[in-house]
Amino acid sequence: MIADYLAAYDSQLRGRSEAAHAVDAVEFGPLLLAEFDGGRGFISGRDLDLTDLGGLVDAALEHFTSRPGIRSVEWKTRAHDPAPGLADALMARGFQPEDTESIMVGEAALLVQDVSLPDGVELRRATTDDEVLAMERMQGLVFGDRDWRSRADATLRRLRVDDSLQLWTAVAGAEVISAGRLEPVENTELAGLWGGATLPEWRGRGIYRALTAERARAALALGRRYLQSDSTEFSRPILERAGLVRVSTTTPYVWTPLPG
């Protein structure tokens, strides 16, 4: 089962699928180089068992540093890819590793559960500008993202041209206390669960599990059989209890230009 899920992940969710919403993307040897709204560069590649891996990293970084407006570049690595020496090559050029996450894959139907919410908490789909900004502000707080506003602006621009993206929130009174995205992947059986975040004081009360179940229902309604998530250690146990399995891990390495 794990091998089948990993094969589906590699064949359907990597390569051009990763750049489905990029403003620009090119294939560069074994790499995909993509630029997303807000000046975010993205690099992904497989089979990097190369003699001049450092040269490849240099060339990929040069591609982005030559483009105006790039504010950061993420190189997404996966533990199951052959890429000896890649981490050292990246860090030698200023990329910094972020937290490793579990790549989770499984049947969407397994996550469809009836979950009781605390009194006064309800689930809502965020559609208005104010609702999206409130959601992004909360996620920025949880993830320590000081650049949350530029990401929120990019999300709003995308929503105006892409009605497949769904943003779900849990709200207590006027406050967004938990949130996550559902991103169906075109021409596949899969949808992604992204951006899951809950305020610390609301954790452990079933809210994230209810929000995940609601997104699973939405995925099934869109004809998606499988769900995939890059999960932190907060969300991984919830998804495992629902039946998703860890097929690998991923570690992002992020480069940002020096000030000045």
Side-chain angles (χ1 to χ4, degrees):
M1 179 177 62
I2 292 178
D4 290 342
Y5 285 164
L6 183 58
Y9 171 82
D10 280 336
S11 64
Q12 297 187 51
L13 295 182
R14 300 184 65 178
R16 282 291 172 177
S17 292
E18 297 177 278
H21 304 290
V23 297
D24 183 66
V26 297
E27 293 180 1
F28 185 81
L31 300 178
L32 172 74
L33 310 180
E35 181 181 345
F36 290 87
D37 198 1
R40 295 181 295 117
F42 176 82
I43 304 172
S44 178
R46 284 183 277 180
D47 302 322
L48 302 182
D49 190 359
L50 308 172
T51 56
D52 189 18
L53 190 54
L56 184 66
V57 175
D58 287 334
L61 188 56
E62 183 180 358
H63 168 85
F64 287 107
T65 56
S66 67
R67 302 172 72 88
I70 291 295
R71 304 175 65 177
S72 66
V73 180
E74 174 189 336
W75 191 306
K76 187 178 180 70
T77 70
R78 280 89 166 183
H80 63 284
D81 286 340
L86 178 58
D88 290 339
L90 290 172
M91 288 188 290
R93 289 155 178 84
F95 285 84
Q96 296 298 316
E98 297 192 339
D99 291 342
T100 296
E101 297 182 329
S102 298
I103 300 173
M104 309 292 293
V105 181
E107 300 270 354
L110 295 174
L111 275 73
V112 177
Q113 306 169 5
D114 292 324
V115 183
S116 297
L117 289 167
D119 290 343
V121 175
E122 61 178 319
L123 304 184
R124 299 177 186 170
R125 186 171 170 185
T127 56
T128 69
D129 287 9
D130 286 345
E131 289 169 341
V132 173
L133 287 173
M135 169 182 170
E136 294 275 6
R137 185 184 300 111
M138 184 278 297
Q139 290 176 315
L141 178 65
V142 171
F143 294 130
D145 182 7
R146 289 178 290 182
D147 197 31
W148 71 267
R149 182 56 196 251
S150 69
R151 294 182 184 273
D153 290 339
T155 299
L156 288 169
R157 287 191 292 269
R158 180 178 164 189
L159 284 171
R160 295 186 181 106
V161 298
D162 177 15
D163 61 2
S164 68
L165 175 64
Q166 296 189 18
L167 308 179
W168 287 90
T169 62
V171 180
E175 182 183 20
V176 176
I177 60 173
S178 184
R181 307 193 310 274
L182 176 71
E183 297 210 26
V185 182
E186 189 175 2
N187 299 320
T188 74
E189 296 181 284
L190 294 113
L193 299 176
W194 297 100
T198 304
L199 291 175
E201 61 269 28
W202 287 95
R203 292 173 187 165
R205 302 173 68 178
I207 298 169
Y208 179 75
R209 188 157 51 94
L211 197 64
T212 300
E214 195 66 25
R215 287 183 288 168
R217 290 187 188 94
L220 289 171
L222 294 170
R224 299 306 194 271
R225 177 179 176 182
Y226 301 107
L227 290 173
Q228 188 271 319
S229 175
D230 291 350
S231 298
T232 67
E233 287 306 292
F234 289 114
S235 57
R236 178 189 56 78
I238 298 171
L239 298 180
E240 283 184 329
R241 287 194 294 271
L244 270 64
V245 297
R246 182 167 65 177
V247 299
S248 187
T249 61
T250 178
T251 304
Y253 286 75
V254 177
W255 175 91
T256 54
L258 294 174

